[in-house]
Amino acid sequence: MKNSRFLDRTTPPHIITLVVIAGVAALCMNLFLPSLSAMALYFEIDYAVMQFAVSGYLAATALLQLVIGPLSDLFGRRPVMLASIAIMIAATLVCMLASDITVFMIGRVAQAAVVSGFVLARAIVRDMVPMEQAASMIGYVTMGMSVVPMVGPTVGGLLNDFSGWQSSFALLALLGAGILVLAWFDLGETNHNKSASFSQQFHAWPELLRSPLFWGYALTSTFSSGMFFSFLGGAPFVGSVLYGLTPAMLGLQFFFMASGYMLGNFVSGRYASQIGINRMMLSGNVIGIAGIVAAILLITGGAESAYAFFVPLALIGVGNGVTLPSANAGMVSVQPHLAGSASGLGGAMTIGGGAALSVLASSVLSREDGTWPLLLVMLATGLVALLTTYVVRLQEKRQ
């Protein structure tokens, strides 16, 4: 393929464009998290209902990925990306102006359209380079994009304290408009072998689902990221209720996780093509489990500080950064001609599993039990991820 030239839509997109679009997509997930308690008070609902803004969003992104991937294989990456960003901007304005919880939740679910930033970034990378290089390039893309959500909760907490929770959605709408302009001028089409029909993609799913290798990569991605999604579901409760942190201070705690994710993605970008994706997945899951065990040991030893909980769990971020680029590169390489559909189907499994684990993590927490239920959910998820990585290694050997 022709080399990328920035702001030249006749060539593949520049890596900076993929980073920025994926970064804003990630920001939609976590910018407003420190404001959940304030939003529950504003809408006069229970915190558990407000938490649906996280779990419901994740469920919507899972379902959308089933459609976005095949649509991009049929119509191309560019038009699907542009349409998705436009929907996200409109939905964000609905959230910002909502006066009741029903309208807000409708806007929040529609906002999930921006998940195309994840799905299509992976497919575009696979369009451009082979599998081992794709793992490295995806690592660099996700490393760069992690800078944005790394500071997102901190910024969201400060905005909440300064001008209310609506200001977070105002910022998202402005950023959405910016990436729409950037994508319009730089996002060249990379899918030059489009599908004959939309249904053809769904007819290809049995081919993917019959592949033990696809299942191995997809389940590794699901349970590895499940450690993070469990954290995402339970951390706002732990920080605001158990440790009494303000929205700004709670946002700061997410900085540790995102910093670890950035570091892990740097390692992936630098070493995945040399070490191989199976070893990268194994190493990342071991690192994530080590962080959970460290937090358990600190709390067992009597440490009561919020930092004793949040800082060790930064290793989950490191582990995800090491594991996920390789797992994603593996998913979209099982059947390269179905990269978009594989990315969408695998992403739906990952995010759908994440939504379920997020709900589970938030539902088991209480003042009486403290952080233990959340830590045990994350530990069990990490151990399953380790098992699925082993399954991938066995399938690779057989083939």
Side-chain angles (χ1 to χ4, degrees):
M1 298 185 67
K2 292 181 288 186
N3 292 329
S4 297
R5 290 192 299 271
F6 191 51
L7 299 181
D8 182 352
R9 59 188 182 194
T10 65
T11 67
H14 196 280
I15 191 171
I16 292 175
T17 299
L18 297 179
V19 168
V20 173
I21 293 174
V24 174
L27 197 62
C28 284
M29 187 183 299
N30 73 355
L31 179 67
F32 73 102
L33 286 181
S35 302
L36 281 178
S37 295
M39 293 167 71
L41 290 174
Y42 178 87
F43 289 117
E44 299 179 346
I45 58 172
D46 292 337
Y47 179 86
V49 176
M50 196 66 240
Q51 216 277 334
F52 182 77
V54 178
S55 57
Y57 177 86
L58 292 175
T61 61
L63 293 174
L64 283 172
Q65 288 189 68
L66 296 175
V67 178
I68 287 172
L71 282 175
S72 75
D73 284 336
L74 177 62
F75 296 111
R77 318 299 186 208
R78 176 182 167 84
V80 174
M81 182 78 84
L82 293 174
S84 298
I85 296 172
I87 293 170
M88 169 264 182
I89 296 169
T92 301
L93 293 174
V94 170
C95 291
M96 182 180 72
L97 301 173
S99 58
D100 64 79
I101 189 62
T102 302
V103 174
F104 174 85
M105 288 300 181
I106 291 172
R108 179 61 178 159
V109 169
Q111 197 183 31
V114 79
V115 74
S116 63
F118 297 129
V119 179
L120 300 187
R122 292 194 298 259
I124 288 169
V125 167
R126 188 61 186 87
D127 290 339
M128 296 166 64
V129 296
M131 183 175 69
E132 295 295 345
Q133 287 177 274
S136 288
M137 192 170 176
I138 290 172
Y140 282 127
V141 169
T142 48
M143 179 190 73
M145 89 177 194
S146 66
V147 175
V148 179
M150 181 169 66
V151 298
T154 304
V155 172
L158 292 171
L159 286 173
N160 180 89
D161 291 351
F162 181 71
S163 57
W165 62 267
Q166 292 92 339
S167 55
S168 293
F169 289 90
L171 176 60
L172 285 174
L174 289 173
L175 292 173
I179 63 170
L180 182 60
V181 172
L182 177 61
W184 180 267
F185 287 104
D186 186 63
L187 189 66
E189 184 58 65
T190 60
N191 180 11
H192 300 293
N193 296 294
K194 297 182 178 65
S195 303
S197 68
F198 187 71
S199 61
Q200 178 183 338
Q201 296 303 303
F202 295 99
H203 292 155
W205 279 7
E207 184 179 355
L208 289 171
L209 294 175
R210 282 195 298 268
S211 169
L213 205 52
F214 175 82
W215 276 103
Y217 288 126
L219 291 177
T220 295
S221 176
T222 298
F223 287 101
S224 296
S225 60
M227 289 184 275
F228 167 72
F229 285 121
S230 299
F231 172 86
L232 201 65
F237 180 90
V238 170
S240 60
V241 178
L242 298 184
Y243 291 116
L245 300 177
T246 65
M249 286 303 297
L250 176 57
L252 183 62
Q253 306 308 311
F254 285 89
F255 185 86
F256 301 119
M257 177 74 74
S259 297
Y261 188 59
M262 183 178 178
L263 175 60
N265 277 293
F266 171 77
V267 173
S268 283
R270 179 67 180 84
Y271 298 109
S273 59
Q274 299 163 294
I275 295 176
I277 62 175
N278 289 336
R279 289 180 181 176
M280 293 297 289
M281 292 190 300
L282 178 64
S283 301
N285 286 323
V286 169
I287 292 169
I289 292 171
I292 300 168
V293 171
I296 290 174
L297 291 175
L298 285 172
I299 292 171
T300 303
E304 296 297 331
S305 166
Y307 292 103
F309 175 83
F310 285 101
V311 173
L313 295 183
L315 288 177
I316 292 178
V318 178
N320 272 202
V322 171
T323 297
L324 295 182
S326 292
N328 288 328
M331 277 192 296
V332 297
S333 297
V334 173
Q335 299 291 341
H337 62 290
L338 299 173
S341 295
S343 180
L345 181 58
M349 293 169 64
T350 298
I351 302 297
L357 288 166
S358 174
V359 171
L360 174 63
S362 63
S363 65
V364 297
L365 284 167
S366 66
R367 286 183 179 273
E368 295 74 24
D369 295 326
T371 59
W372 280 105
L374 177 58
L375 289 169
L376 293 176
V377 168
M378 289 190 292
L379 180 61
T381 303
L383 292 173
V384 175
L386 206 59
L387 176 62
T388 58
T389 305
Y390 178 70
V391 170
V392 170
R393 295 191 68 183
L394 288 180
Q395 290 301 319
E396 287 278 1
K397 288 181 179 179
R398 288 176 183 171
Q399 291 188 12

